[in-house]
Amino acid sequence: MNSLGIALKSIRANLVPMAVLWLLAALTVWGYYRLPPFAAILEPLAKWQRETGWPAAVVNRTVFCGLLPGAFLLTVRSIRPLHPWRTVLANCLWMGQWGILSNAFFTLQAQVFGNGTDFTTLLVKVLVDKGLWSACLCVPLNSLFFYWEGRDFSFVRCRAEWPSSWLRQIYLPVLLADFCVWIPVQFAVYMFPLPLQIQLVGFAGCFWSLVGLSAGIRIAKSRSS
């Protein structure tokens, strides 16, 4: 199966959760700008991010992209990894460091392109986000991490099971799926003030972490059976 076929299969398998994620993103934007009480609910979150900075982003990623997916792995027997607690700890540490990086990236985007919510500004930010940030950093590093984690942190297994074409079999399918999931979400995220951008993208990342963890562990179990 080619890269596009692999990506489409993954997208079809997760179509309902993706649609729910897109809907929630759209409703969150609508609620923030149309319902003052809803915007007031989010204000403490924005204040926390403004006052705390990157540590707030680290906590966000650790909880929503590390602990919550980890709890899911521990409670669902069919996808429980061989070393569950080690997996949860590694995932929390890995996702936590993305809080530092994403805080810096979103801040840089705001400094370079401004904080406007017009279509041109949003489009430029999303293109830089997906074309540079995701394609050159997030997807390659996360693909490698989840591949290693899905093989029970064994470098021996990684070497033995390494695909004949990492670019075609792993990187491109993940990148295409990432584009499909995240482009609509990122348009919504960049509609918010900078502090909320940094926080809300972590909430959406909880979904992506669950998908990545589940897929990696399923692959590992299927190959070991």
Side-chain angles (χ1 to χ4, degrees):
M1 185 181 295
N2 59 29
S3 302
L4 180 59
I6 297 171
L8 290 175
K9 183 178 179 180
S10 174
I11 291 167
R12 283 196 298 268
N14 296 286
L15 188 58
V16 172
M18 283 196 310
V20 171
L21 181 63
W22 298 336
L23 179 61
L24 288 176
L27 288 175
T28 304
V29 173
W30 181 84
Y32 182 78
Y33 286 102
R34 296 290 184 178
L35 301 175
F38 182 75
I41 292 173
L42 294 180
E43 179 53 31
L45 188 64
K47 182 180 179 182
W48 180 51
Q49 177 64 45
R50 283 195 301 269
E51 295 178 349
T52 308
W54 66 262
V58 170
V59 172
N60 175 285
R61 300 307 186 278
T62 300
V63 172
F64 290 98
C65 301
L67 285 177
L68 292 183
F72 177 75
L73 290 175
L74 293 176
T75 55
V76 181
R77 182 173 300 178
S78 62
I79 60 170
R80 188 177 299 163
L82 183 63
H83 305 289
W85 293 107
R86 185 191 303 176
T87 300
V88 173
L89 177 60
N91 204 50
C92 286
L93 293 174
W94 178 256
M95 292 301 172
Q97 60 87 26
W98 281 110
I100 301 174
L101 296 175
S102 63
N103 180 79
F105 174 71
F106 277 82
T107 301
L108 179 62
Q109 285 258 70
Q111 291 172 348
V112 174
F113 303 116
N115 295 302
T117 57
D118 57 283
F119 179 75
T120 300
T121 301
L122 296 177
L123 179 62
V124 170
K125 286 185 175 181
V126 171
L127 289 176
V128 172
D129 191 308
K130 296 294 98 186
L132 293 177
W133 173 251
S134 291
C136 299
L137 190 67
C138 298
V139 169
L141 293 181
N142 281 321
S143 296
L144 290 172
F145 175 78
F146 284 127
Y147 193 89
W148 175 58
E149 185 177 72
R151 280 141 192 84
D152 302 316
F153 307 98
S154 171
F155 290 105
V156 174
R157 281 192 63 186
C158 285
R159 186 168 58 251
E161 299 177 12
W162 192 255
S164 57
S165 175
W166 178 81
L167 183 68
R168 180 180 63 84
Q169 295 175 254
I170 296 181
Y171 172 76
L172 286 178
V174 173
L175 182 66
L176 293 172
D178 177 272
F179 284 175
C180 184
V181 172
W182 280 99
I183 286 177
V185 175
Q186 290 300 126
F187 268 100
V189 167
Y190 285 119
M191 287 286 294
F192 290 92
L194 176 61
L196 285 177
Q197 293 175 21
I198 297 170
Q199 286 292 311
L200 293 177
V201 77
F203 300 154
C206 181
F207 166 83
W208 193 237
S209 297
L210 278 171
V211 171
L213 277 170
S214 301
I217 291 167
R218 283 197 181 96
I219 291 171
K221 289 190 173 185
S222 66
R223 290 199 174 191
S224 62
S225 60

